[in-house]
Amino acid sequence: MKLLPVVVAPLAALALAGCAAAPESPGKTYTHVPRTEKCKPTSEKKIAALFERWNDALESGDPHKVVANYAEDSVLLPTVSNQPRLTPAEKEEYFEKLLLEEPSARIDLRRIYLGCNVAVDAGLYTFTFGRTGQIVPARYSFTYRWDGEQWLITSHHSSVLPERE
């Protein structure tokens, strides 16, 4: 019977390691597939320009131009709405209302992180609303993915800064 712990312990370790490496999710199969994609060369300057592209679309007043910056399957967690926007139609509805306020954003602090066909731009920005003159400091994060033709936003989170401590 001394053989039982010698056989069972390694099998249990393998089973637990498998569980830790691939969390179960109904309907999903996880397999390790080596990456074969080609990485799109980029730079912090090019990723920073994507914010300017988005802000220019915002300042255009055209919700179609703003939504064109987002991947079809992207997530928008907006500054002035509690509702996540998951579809292009939901994003467009949000921007139709927001653009009535004539928003413009300015980066105050940022960090850009680069990966293979993905990038993150996160930090603080300030919105100015031309219609009312209201100024709203907020935090933000944009994640981008190269889709083979252009960089698109895959997730965008923005929230008003809490009051200072």
Side-chain angles (χ1 to χ4, degrees), residues 87-100:
T87 68
E90 290 172 340
K91 291 175 189 77
E92 193 163 313
E93 175 193 22
Y94 171 75
F95 285 114
E96 281 174 358
K97 291 177 185 171
L98 180 70
L99 294 178
L100 295 175

Side-chain angles (χ1 to χ4, degrees), residues 63-148:
H64 299 294
K65 286 184 180 179
V66 181
V67 174
N69 289 280
Y70 292 82
E72 179 121 358
D73 61 346
S74 63
V75 175
L76 169 61
L77 303 172
T79 311
V80 294
S81 172
N82 292 332
Q83 179 187 345
R85 308 303 169 126
L86 304 176
T87 68
E90 290 172 340
K91 291 175 189 77
E92 193 163 313
E93 175 193 22
Y94 171 75
F95 285 114
E96 281 174 358
K97 291 177 185 171
L98 180 70
L99 294 178
L100 295 175
E101 301 300 318
E102 301 172 7
S104 177
R106 178 190 78 239
I107 297 290
D108 300 317
L109 172 121
R110 79 165 9 128
R111 293 289 185 265
I112 293 177
Y113 306 93
L114 305 175
C116 179
N117 297 330
V118 295
V120 176
D121 179 357
L124 303 175
Y125 56 11
T126 300
F127 274 99
T128 301
F129 295 97
R131 192 176 74 71
T132 62
Q134 182 182 14
I135 295 173
V136 179
R139 48 192 162 196
Y140 75 90
S141 62
F142 287 92
T143 60
Y144 298 96
R145 176 180 65 225
W146 176 254
D147 75 351

Side-chain angles (χ1 to χ4, degrees), residues 7-24:
V7 172
V8 173
L11 289 176
L14 282 174
L16 290 173
C19 290
E24 295 241 352

Side-chain angles (χ1 to χ4, degrees), residues 20-35:
E24 295 241 352
S25 180
K28 299 257 184 183
T29 303
Y30 295 92
T31 58
H32 175 70
V33 178
R35 292 187 115 175

